Amino acid sequence: MTTADSSAEIDVSRLEELADVMLPAAHGMPSASDVKAVVVYLDQVLGWRNDLRQSLARAVAGLEPATFTVDQLAALHEEDEDAYIALTTAVAACYYLSPEVRGRIGYPGQVAKTYDPYAYTEWVAEGLLDPVVERGPIWREAPG
Amino acid sequence: MTYRADVLIIGAGASGGVAARHLAEHGFDVVCLEQGDWPDRSAFPGTRPDWELAIRRDWAMSPNVRNRPEDYPVVHDDSDIEPLMYNAVGGSMIIYAGTWPRMLPSDFRVRTLDGVADDWPIAYQELVPYYDAIDRQIGVSGLAGDPAYPPHDDYPLPPLPLGMAGRRVAEGHNRLGWHWWPEPNAILSAPYDGRRPCVQRGVCTSGCAEGAKASTDLTHWPKATAAGARLITGARVSRITLGPQGLATGAVWLDRLGVEHHQEADVVILAANAVGTARLLLLSADDRHCPDGLANSSGLVGQRLMMHPFSVVTGWWDDQVEGWQGHFGASITSYQFYETDPDRDFVRGAKWALSPVGGPLNHILPMRAGNEVWGPDHHELMGRTFGRGASWAIFGEDLPEESNRVELDPGRTDSHGIPAPRVRYRISDHSRRLMAFQEQRAEESLTASGCQETAVASMIPYSGWHLMGTARMGEDPASSVVNPRQQTHDVPNLYIADASVFVTSSGVNPTCTITALALRTADLLVQHRSEQKVPA
């Protein structure tokens, strides 16, 4: 396990370029930099998960943004799994914290909902369970 | 002055909480030592934006990843499955899903019915009154009449919502002619015993901030302490002490500062899970009386570890079903392929439970089924699948093998310097055939339910929630560690209340049965109190 190092410096502009390759604008979704994912949310993400910092710094320093392609992620995974996990986790976490991104994928977060606990009587009355009940017991008798 | 309790319980989780409440309410002077602390519900991450980051580190299910002071490392580099647990008042119930199935009659008779493993020395019917009592104590939500089970008392609360995905899969199973039923859950569907109901947030396995999901810190410890039980947290037991008569005299424990104490008691109950209990019995070896570990004349302490091979089969529809939402316990269950079918190349079977699939991070950095995709295709994948899926969580019956075991590791220790447990565990070829069959059927289930796509995460390593079998129950002291009352054969005032005593694993989530057995053990202790041997 990598030891967390709160002093490891991360080049934010390099990370933003890498994040744009991993999450470009496509299929109606914005790129990472379109929503300023890294610039706005990286401090927050590393505040929650400072243990990622050192490995993330290593990943960012080791990948060249100008020539980076997503195909290189497999090699990073193979050579330095902690760096790979830190990079993918941090980029994804920053991106999906963006309210614009959440809005576009229809994700409101894990929200509380209310419901009628007796609504089940409707689907029972409707007969949803009838075929199961009509087939009869399926448990196996066992000697006592 | 040394204080001597009637009963010392080691571990304040599922079995410890149930036993403590029953014994305290029946007049016993109970002390419990718990290495963790009371859970702080305001610290549970499920309502926070960093929820999916937290469950990969500080709220991971693995003690090795969380690495909190109250955790102990579990060495598992020689295991196909990683043991998972939580150390606190309430124990691993804090992070369990909350599904609450009983074992079935055939689960207690696998030798007689299927010629494998061993029969339990007790039968399903003996546990029914305790299952019913536990359901009322914790407030189970469910629907009576499931034809997969013999008839039993109705649940105290109505079933939790099916949700969109549950409804679709129920209809799919009706088309296939396959069994399904609303899953009983230890999660409140309506207010009960001063607790609030579930709000369908879908974060059950990182702690229920609502308190709707049952855990003994909510359901049993307040009542136990009101009845006089004393619960000492931050108390890590290093060994059980033995007196000259061959009876347990109590336990040595270390506080958070490392100061050593000795708690005396007439009776000791181990309730530390099948890894922790085996570890403590092995740590309590004594060159003169029990060189191979306490209560280990059979040589079986630590052996026969069972962990339920676990696969996840996820299906995705072409429209939204709010796949991140809903109780994580399970909306519906299926026992279609639970019992033995002689036409298959394996015996026994598996239970299926339909669950949500989590938020965006779990979707793209999957801990279960799915793939990581980056670049333009990432957005195509998310658009096609996010919020549109549900997963069958499949637990296969794990037959016991003596080579699957808990030992003491010669090198690793916990934060107090106490040797850590090492787990050696291999998934058998039999289990692999069983799980492959179940995975194929589960894909058929989801396809019949209208899913456009399915994916299988087969026998995932990060799944050792169900720890069982390391101090098995039996009539014969030569081939078991505890008798049917869960009293150790070797030390008559030492009991084991947790799933260490399981003879076989069944194919269902074990907590319902763990608590029913713990209640039965405590009840029999009350009934036989006048016969109980205690130290002079």
Side-chain angles (χ1 to χ4, degrees):
Chain A
M1 185 179 296
T2 306
T3 305
D5 177 358
S6 59
S7 66
E9 288 294 329
I10 295 160
D11 186 327
V12 172
S13 61
R14 279 174 72 93
L15 177 58
E16 193 170 36
E17 287 183 69
L18 297 172
D20 264 357
V21 176
M22 295 167 70
L23 296 170
H27 298 282
M29 293 295 292
S31 70
S33 61
D34 285 342
V35 295
K36 298 184 169 42
V38 172
V39 173
V40 173
Y41 297 108
L42 183 63
D43 283 348
Q44 199 170 356
V45 167
L46 293 179
W48 291 323
R49 288 290 307 274
N50 192 48
D51 59 292
L52 298 175
R53 182 182 292 271
Q54 190 179 52
S55 300
L56 179 61
R58 203 165 58 246
V60 173
L63 294 167
E64 178 50 56
T67 56
F68 176 60
T69 68
V70 292
D71 294 340
Q72 293 172 32
L73 288 170
L76 180 64
H77 193 188
E78 183 74 22
E79 292 160 11
D80 186 347
E81 187 177 6
D82 285 347
Y84 171 83
I85 290 171
L87 177 65
T88 52
T89 302
V91 167
C94 289
Y95 187 71
Y96 286 103
L97 277 171
S98 158
E100 182 181 342
V101 171
R102 287 182 171 219
R104 291 205 188 197
I105 63 171
Y107 177 62
Q110 304 298 130
V111 297
K113 293 202 163 189
T114 56
Y115 54 90
D116 173 5
Y118 295 95
Y120 79 96
T121 56
E122 293 167 18
W123 54 257
V124 169
E126 174 193 323
L128 192 61
L129 272 171
D130 290 355
V132 185
V133 174
E134 284 161 8
R135 284 193 295 274
I138 62 169
W139 57 278
R140 198 172 168 201
E141 292 276 3
Chain B
M1 193 175 84
T2 306
Y3 165 72
R4 180 158 151 180
D6 292 338
V7 178
L8 167 63
I9 298 175
I10 300 170
S15 58
V18 167
R21 172 177 163 183
H22 191 76
L23 292 168
E25 288 179 342
H26 286 79
F28 284 71
D29 177 19
V30 175
V31 171
C32 178
L33 300 173
E34 165 55 49
Q35 62 197 329
D37 211 332
W38 283 90
D40 174 4
R41 306 200 106 69
S42 68
F44 290 174
T47 57
R48 305 193 315 238
D50 66 322
W51 164 60
E52 288 190 289
L53 288 170
I55 61 176
R56 291 157 193 267
R57 178 74 182 188
D58 293 345
W59 282 90
M61 294 176 176
S62 165
N64 296 7
V65 176
R66 280 192 315 267
N67 201 23
R68 297 182 188 172
E70 65 267 30
D71 291 319
Y72 56 87
V74 180
V75 182
H76 63 87
D77 48 12
D78 197 15
S79 176
D80 289 337
I81 296 179
E82 179 173 356
L84 306 173
M85 64 182 74
Y86 196 79
N87 296 307
V89 181
S92 297
M93 293 179 89
I94 302 298
I95 56 164
Y96 78 148
T99 49
W100 203 253
R102 301 176 179 198
M103 283 170 56
L104 282 147
S106 71
D107 291 325
F108 295 85
R109 294 290 179 267
V110 299
R111 166 59 64 179
T112 298
L113 294 173
D114 296 313
V116 294
D118 304 279
D119 290 345
W120 289 54
I122 60 173
Y124 170 83
Q125 282 302 331
E126 292 175 65
L127 268 189
V128 168
Y130 298 104
Y131 278 135
D132 290 342
I134 282 289
D135 285 357
R136 291 189 295 273
Q137 288 182 6
I138 68 162
V140 176
S141 301
L143 186 64
D146 184 350
Y149 281 86
H152 60 73
D153 282 5
D154 201 353
Y155 297 103
L157 293 170
L160 286 157
L162 292 183
M164 283 188 269
R167 169 88 195 206
R168 290 181 186 193
V169 178
E171 290 169 348
H173 276 220
N174 283 349
R175 284 190 284 277
L176 289 166
W178 287 5
H179 172 266
W180 72 274
W181 201 260
E183 175 84 271
N185 287 284
I187 300 171
L188 304 181
S189 59
Y192 188 82
D193 196 24
R195 292 160 50 212
R196 293 187 304 235
C198 172
V199 295
Q200 299 283 286
R201 202 187 296 275
V203 298
C204 313
T205 53
S206 51
C208 176
E210 311 299 325
K213 186 184 75 172
S215 48
T216 56
D217 58 306
L218 294 170
T219 55
H220 287 75
W221 278 109
K223 292 181 171 67
T225 53
R230 291 196 307 138
L231 173 54
I232 303 172
T233 58
R236 174 166 274 152
V237 174
S238 60
R239 65 189 162 90
I240 296 158
T241 50
L242 203 61
Q245 305 157 289
L247 295 171
T249 55
V252 175
W253 61 279
L254 301 162
D255 64 25
R256 292 185 179 91
L257 300 175
V259 178
E260 191 171 281
H261 306 262
H262 184 239
Q263 176 63 53
E264 292 187 11
D266 286 346
V267 169
V268 175
I269 299 178
L270 274 163
N273 85 40
V275 171
T277 284
R279 177 195 186 205
L280 269 177
L281 291 172
L282 296 172
L283 284 169
S284 304
D286 163 337
D287 284 345
R288 209 157 54 114
H289 299 103
C290 48
D292 298 323
L294 188 60
N296 195 21
S297 62
S298 66
L300 286 170
V301 167
Q303 298 189 13
R304 297 167 61 104
L305 172 68
M306 297 172 280
M307 288 200 279
H308 280 157
F310 176 69
S311 295
V312 174
V313 179
T314 301
W316 292 277
W317 288 274
D318 60 7
D319 59 347
Q320 279 282 344
V321 293
E322 294 189 337
W324 58 83
Q325 200 82 34
H327 52 285
F328 212 93
S331 54
I332 67 170
T333 184
S334 178
Y335 289 81
Q336 182 64 32
F337 303 105
Y338 190 86
E339 302 283 8
T340 296
D341 180 336
D343 290 337
R344 300 178 196 142
D345 61 354
F346 58 88
V347 295
R348 311 303 299 154
K351 174 223 171 197
W352 302 0
L354 194 74
S355 304
V357 292
L361 287 199
N362 196 46
H363 214 73
I364 57 171
L365 305 171
M367 294 194 284
R368 293 186 166 186
N371 297 307
E372 293 184 29
V373 178
W374 301 101
D377 291 347
H378 173 94
H379 300 304
E380 192 279 329
L381 175 73
M382 282 294 279
R384 196 174 79 240
T385 61
F386 181 69
R388 301 174 179 217
S391 293
W392 276 124
I394 302 172
F395 292 108
E397 176 154 355
D398 187 14
L399 297 173
E401 297 179 57
E402 291 180 9
S403 55
N404 288 336
R405 60 177 64 187
V406 175
E407 304 167 339
L408 296 180
D409 188 79
R412 295 285 299 277
T413 63
D414 63 26
S415 56
H416 286 90
I418 302 168
R422 165 181 286 275
V423 168
R424 298 184 191 278
Y425 178 91
R426 290 287 172 246
I427 297 174
S428 69
D429 290 342
H430 178 268
S431 288
R432 291 181 189 280
R433 292 195 298 275
L434 184 156
M435 295 305 285
F437 172 88
Q438 304 285 340
E439 291 159 7
Q440 289 165 12
R441 301 292 83 72
E443 286 196 283
E444 290 169 16
S445 152
L446 294 169
T447 301
S449 304
C451 290
Q452 308 298 308
E453 246 184 279
T454 60
V456 177
S458 183
M459 290 173 280
I460 59 179
Y462 193 74
S463 65
W465 303 281
H466 302 167
L467 308 169
M468 301 164 281
T470 55
R472 67 155 289 198
M473 182 195 296
E475 299 279 8
D476 182 358
S479 59
S480 59
V481 178
V482 300
N483 67 21
R485 288 171 53 191
Q486 298 178 220
Q487 177 184 35
T488 62
H489 292 297
D490 297 356
V491 184
N493 69 334
L494 175 64
Y495 291 75
I496 299 176
D498 59 46
S500 305
V501 305
F502 278 33
V503 179
T504 54
S505 69
S506 82
V508 304
N509 317 59
T511 312
C512 173
T513 298
I514 292 170
T515 53
L517 283 169
L519 183 59
R520 176 178 174 273
T521 292
D523 193 39
L524 292 173
L525 195 52
V526 172
Q527 289 178 36
H528 296 275
R529 62 198 305 172
S530 61
E531 305 155 22
Q532 179 61 53
K533 286 184 183 172
V534 299

